[in-house]
């Protein structure tokens, strides 16, 4: 392992610590998973804040793992660092002997190390071989994708993963270029993309190649497929009171996160029943309304935080949650009965403002920012 390349500033660090604290600060040993360890900025802060917490850190990037291992060495047997993708979390937990966890953090997207290392090929602003693999020990490279995929497949990747409206034109330019010679340079690919996009469209939205490079990176690393599997698996492993925090950096990641959480915070029982059926109620509550955005000070200090979207949720005690909703429904029936003819004036009886709140969250409520 050589010198650390690039700089690393953990995104929304204080907010992540604040959200995880109630789960990790409980009495006794707690277990936290950093599913995207990177250079371990978030992980180090968690371990410092919670002396009884054990960390399980996952990363597919062997270079990042090596740096993280040095950074976290002082925590001794409180750390388990694993070369794995986050959708392998259940297998990792089984192997380490942890049936459940108390906290989990996903800091998605490209790490500072990957962006700042020119030879990794992630940055369109630097000329480098077209690699883009987060795990350089396996998988296809971006060079293989651009030089072997058919026009329909290339256009699909750019359109779906990059949300690129000029996907067809860019795919055609790539096909024409590779017929003359293989495309091996990130700078050449960025130039091709720029030439393929009409001049008026190039004047807004940042670098013209931004969406293409994002799409290729997602395809090479199977990021969305892995995330779609990993989020439900992580939620299933959380203890009651356990919390998950997800930092997303583009709409596709955030949409998957939103859907995964929405599935857990809504009742699955018939809407016309007066009480919640056992096993049909929400199993999680959201900890904020919608996605939280970074503040101006955060973005000024760390421009890479500009696109982040934070979502978080906490596992509920299903029996307590069901009882709370049953009590609330009984109260609503009493209030309704007070307003029926022959039951006395609306002013008599229970004060509606004293309704018991279950605090067990839906997609409409949370702890706030």
């Amino acid at each position: 392992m050589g010198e650390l390349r690039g700089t690393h500033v953990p995104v929304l660090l204080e907010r992540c610590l604040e959200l995880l604290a109630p789960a990790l600060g409980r009495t006794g040993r707690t277990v936290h998973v950093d599913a995207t360890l990177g250079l371990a900025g978030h992980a180090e802060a968690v371990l410092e804040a919670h002396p009884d917490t054990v960390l399980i850190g996952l990363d597919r990037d062997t270079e990042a793992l090596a740096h993280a291992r040095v950074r976290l060495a002082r925590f001794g047997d409180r750390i388990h660092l694993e070369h794995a993708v986050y959708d392998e979390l259940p297998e990792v937990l089984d192997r380490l002997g942890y049936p459940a966890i108390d906290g989990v953090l996903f800091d998605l997207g490209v790490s500072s190390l990957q962006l700042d290392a020119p030879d990794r090929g992630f940055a369109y602003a630097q000329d480098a071989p077209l690699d883009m693999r987060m795990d350089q020990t396996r998988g296809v490279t971006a060079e293989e994708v651009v030089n072997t995929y058919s026009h329909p497949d290339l256009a699909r990747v750019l359109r779906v993963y990059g949300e690129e409206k000029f996907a067809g034109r860019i795919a055609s330019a790539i096909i024409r270029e590779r017929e003359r010679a293989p495309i091996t340079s990130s700078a050449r690919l960025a130039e091709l993309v720029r030439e393929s996009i009409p001049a008026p469209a190039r004047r807004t939205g940042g670098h013209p190649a931004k969406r293409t490079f994002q799409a290729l990176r997602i395809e090479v690393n199977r990021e969305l497929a892995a995330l779609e599997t990993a989020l439900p698996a992580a939620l299933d492993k959380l203890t009651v009171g356990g919390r998950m925090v997800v930092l997303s950096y583009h709409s596709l990641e955030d949409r998957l996160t939103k859907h995964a959480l929405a599935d857990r915070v809504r009742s699955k029982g018939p809407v016309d029943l007066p009480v919640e059926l056992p096993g049909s109620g929400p199993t999680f509550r959201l900890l904020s309304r919608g996605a939280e955005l970074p503040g101006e000070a955060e973005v000024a200090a760390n421009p890479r935080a500009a696109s982040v979207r934070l979502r978080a949720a906490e596992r509920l005690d299903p029996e307590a949650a069901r009882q709370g909703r049953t009590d609330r429904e009984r109260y609503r029936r009493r209030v309704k009965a007070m307003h029926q003819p022959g039951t006395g004036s609306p002013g008599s009886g229970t004060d509606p403002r004293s309704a018991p709140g279950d605090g067990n969250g839906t997609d409409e409520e949370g702890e706030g920012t």
Side-chain angles (χ1 to χ4, degrees), residues 120-292:
R120 302 295 291 271
F122 286 95
Y124 41 77
Q126 303 179 64
D127 192 16
L130 277 173
D131 191 322
M132 296 195 195
R133 290 174 299 168
M134 293 177 177
D135 181 353
Q136 292 189 301
T137 68
R138 58 184 174 180
V140 300
T141 64
E143 180 180 331
E144 291 175 80
V145 171
V146 299
N147 286 294
T148 64
Y149 275 30
S150 66
H151 183 282
D153 284 341
L154 271 176
R156 172 189 57 79
V157 167
L158 301 183
R159 183 177 60 254
V160 175
Y161 295 157
E163 300 178 295
E164 174 58 75
K165 61 183 178 180
F166 299 107
R169 296 176 62 149
I170 295 169
S172 295
I174 289 173
I175 299 293
R176 287 194 301 271
E177 176 70 11
R178 77 188 195 193
E179 287 175 349
R180 290 192 287 269
I183 303 170
T184 60
S185 158
S186 60
R188 180 57 185 140
L189 177 61
E191 183 182 5
L192 281 172
V193 174
R194 187 187 63 79
E195 293 171 351
S196 303
I197 295 177
R202 295 201 299 265
R203 299 191 187 110
T204 59
H207 196 290
K210 176 176 64 176
R211 291 178 295 275
T212 293
F213 274 63
Q214 171 185 297
L216 291 173
R217 189 200 82 217
I218 291 173
E219 173 71 7
V220 165
N221 296 289
R222 296 183 55 256
E223 290 176 46
L224 296 183
L227 184 61
E228 194 169 17
T229 300
L231 291 174
L235 291 169
D236 288 342
K237 290 294 184 180
L238 284 170
T239 59
V240 171
R243 293 184 166 202
M244 179 167 82
V245 178
V246 182
L247 303 177
S248 304
Y249 296 85
H250 59 74
S251 60
L252 301 175
E253 293 171 342
D254 185 52
R255 196 175 304 144
L256 281 178
T257 303
K258 179 181 178 181
H259 291 166
L261 296 180
D263 185 55
R264 307 297 181 105
V265 301
R266 293 178 182 148
S267 171
K268 296 178 175 60
V271 295
D272 55 346
L273 289 183
V275 296
E276 197 84 68
L277 292 175
S280 65
T283 54
F284 280 80
R285 72 180 183 105
L286 300 181
L287 299 176
S288 63
R289 292 180 177 232
E292 293 187 20

Side-chain angles (χ1 to χ4, degrees), residues 63-81:
E63 185 178 359
L65 276 173
H67 286 291
R69 200 174 302 280
V70 172
R71 182 173 192 168
L72 303 178
R74 71 182 189 277
F75 297 104
D77 59 3
R78 291 175 58 202
I79 63 169
H80 302 279
L81 306 189

